[in-house]
């Protein structure tokens, strides 16, 4: 089911499929819910999968400016609108930052966390530098060496172009964010999946996040980069399913 949730002046586009315990997917910067096309559908056999476009992305409202707190409020509002009390939260890159902040602010709504290609504080990288004035992005910057580049490109067919303005606004929303001194407040069982060749959110940052979250499990995927959802979707499906089915 595809629909729009109207959340106080912001419309959030979402897709709801499957049945079982709710599982929410949050995409990364300049993406949309389409990036989960190789991960969410297989999990709909065991979970009710909720995949949505963050504000400023995809078919959701594109405000001129917003913050990380706005992203968190959107997720809380979306769950409330859909009468979802508690969910597994899966986030990639920017989506993993939102997931961490949400788990800190709303622990009662998080059954578990899966953080993919993650960090807990703003880094020196400027995503906008990777995008030409016409859009377009050098995929090789985002992937490792294990999956053939043409395989990744094929799986990304239909993905939104990373428009410079979308990146600029999204980047400003995350400027200076730092959750590190609040990670101890995360109560949900947490799995971190990280490629050892990730040049956007490096392994050292994922290790720092894992060290800050009580009981967090870090799994390093050798030979993979930042785009794990297209480099090794089958691995993600397996790890997410196993971890979340075992969550209390």
């Amino acid at each position: 089911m595809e629909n729009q949730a109207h959340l106080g002046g912001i419309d959030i586009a979402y897709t709801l499929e499957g049945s079982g315990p709710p599982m929410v997917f949050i995409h990364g910067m300049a993406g949309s819910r389409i990036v989960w096309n190789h991960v969410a559908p297989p999990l709909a056999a065991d979970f009710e999968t909720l995949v949505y476009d963050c504000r400023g992305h995809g078919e959701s409202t594109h405000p001129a400016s917003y913050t990380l707190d706005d992203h968190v409020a959107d997720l809380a509002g979306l769950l409330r609108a859909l009468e979802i009390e508690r969910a597994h939260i899966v986030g990639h890159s920017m989506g993993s930052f939102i997931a961490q902040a949400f788990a800190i602010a709303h622990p009662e709504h998080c059954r578990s966390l899966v953080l993919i290609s993650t960090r807990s504080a703003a880094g020196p990288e400027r995503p906008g530098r990777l995008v030409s004035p016409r859009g377009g992005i050098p995929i090789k910057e985002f992937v490792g060496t294990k999956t053939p580049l043409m395989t990744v490109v094929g799986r990304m067919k239909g993905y939104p172009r990373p428009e410079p303005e979308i990146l600029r606004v999204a980047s400003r929303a995350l400027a200076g964010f730092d959750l590190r001194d609040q990670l101890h407040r995360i109560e949900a069982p947490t799995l971190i999946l990280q490629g050892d060749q990730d040049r956007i959110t490096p392994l050292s940052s994922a290790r720092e996040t894992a060290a800050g979250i009580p009981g967090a499990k870090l799994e390093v995927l050798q030979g993979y980069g930042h785009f794990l959802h297209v480099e090794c979707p089958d691995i993600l499906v397996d790890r997410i399913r196993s971890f979340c089915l075992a969550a209390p």
Side-chain angles (χ1 to χ4, degrees):
M1 178 183 68
E2 296 189 10
N3 216 325
Q4 294 263 351
H6 308 293
L7 308 176
I10 294 290
D11 291 339
I12 297 295
Y14 68 88
T15 303
L16 194 64
E17 295 181 332
S19 60
M23 176 177 287
V24 182
F25 293 85
I26 318 173
H27 63 78
M29 188 180 295
S32 73
R33 64 194 190 276
I34 197 173
V35 307
W36 296 109
N37 277 1
H38 296 283
V39 176
L43 289 165
D46 299 289
F47 303 92
E48 181 183 50
T49 59
L50 170 60
V51 190
Y52 74 98
D53 292 339
C54 296
R55 67 165 61 204
H57 297 73
E59 297 177 334
S60 292
T61 302
H62 287 231
S65 66
Y66 51 86
T67 67
L68 179 58
D69 286 344
D70 290 326
H71 282 306
V72 172
D74 290 342
L75 177 52
L78 181 58
L79 294 183
R80 187 164 52 249
L82 296 176
E83 299 183 341
I84 295 174
E85 181 63 30
R86 199 161 171 254
H88 302 285
I89 310 293
V90 181
H92 171 255
S93 195
M94 178 190 79
S96 76
F97 314 156
I98 298 169
Q100 292 172 60
F102 182 81
I104 291 166
H106 302 282
E108 71 280 8
H109 297 313
C110 295
R111 187 167 181 174
S112 72
L113 285 182
V114 180
L115 308 175
I116 303 167
S117 305
T118 195
R119 68 189 319 149
S120 297
E125 298 86 358
R126 292 183 298 108
R129 85 189 196 287
L130 299 173
V131 181
S132 74
R134 298 177 183 176
I137 199 163
I139 300 301
K140 64 182 180 181
E141 294 280 346
F142 288 83
V143 300
T145 56
K146 194 159 187 177
T147 304
L149 187 59
M150 292 310 298
T151 299
V152 172
V153 171
R155 288 173 180 163
M156 293 179 68
K157 186 177 181 180
Y159 274 30
R161 292 178 66 83
E163 299 295 339
E165 181 59 21
I166 289 176
L167 270 170
R168 280 193 289 270
V169 177
S171 295
R172 286 198 299 268
L174 301 176
F177 91 94
D178 192 341
L179 304 172
R180 290 174 294 184
D181 65 352
Q182 302 180 67
L183 293 177
H184 68 279
R185 296 171 52 193
I186 293 178
E187 301 174 2
T190 301
L191 172 65
I192 297 174
L193 298 170
Q194 188 74 23
D196 69 321
Q197 297 181 10
D198 190 337
R199 293 183 289 275
I200 308 302
T201 53
L203 179 55
S204 58
S205 296
R207 284 182 170 140
E208 183 177 45
T209 299
I213 299 175
K217 176 185 177 183
L218 169 64
E219 181 171 352
V220 180
L221 304 181
Q222 302 293 328
Y224 296 109
H226 190 67
F227 277 180
L228 298 180
H229 50 300
V230 287
E231 294 179 73
C232 54
D234 291 346
I235 292 176
L236 291 197
V237 169
D238 176 70
R239 302 301 193 273
I240 293 169
R241 176 184 286 120
S242 298
F243 183 77
C244 293
L245 286 177

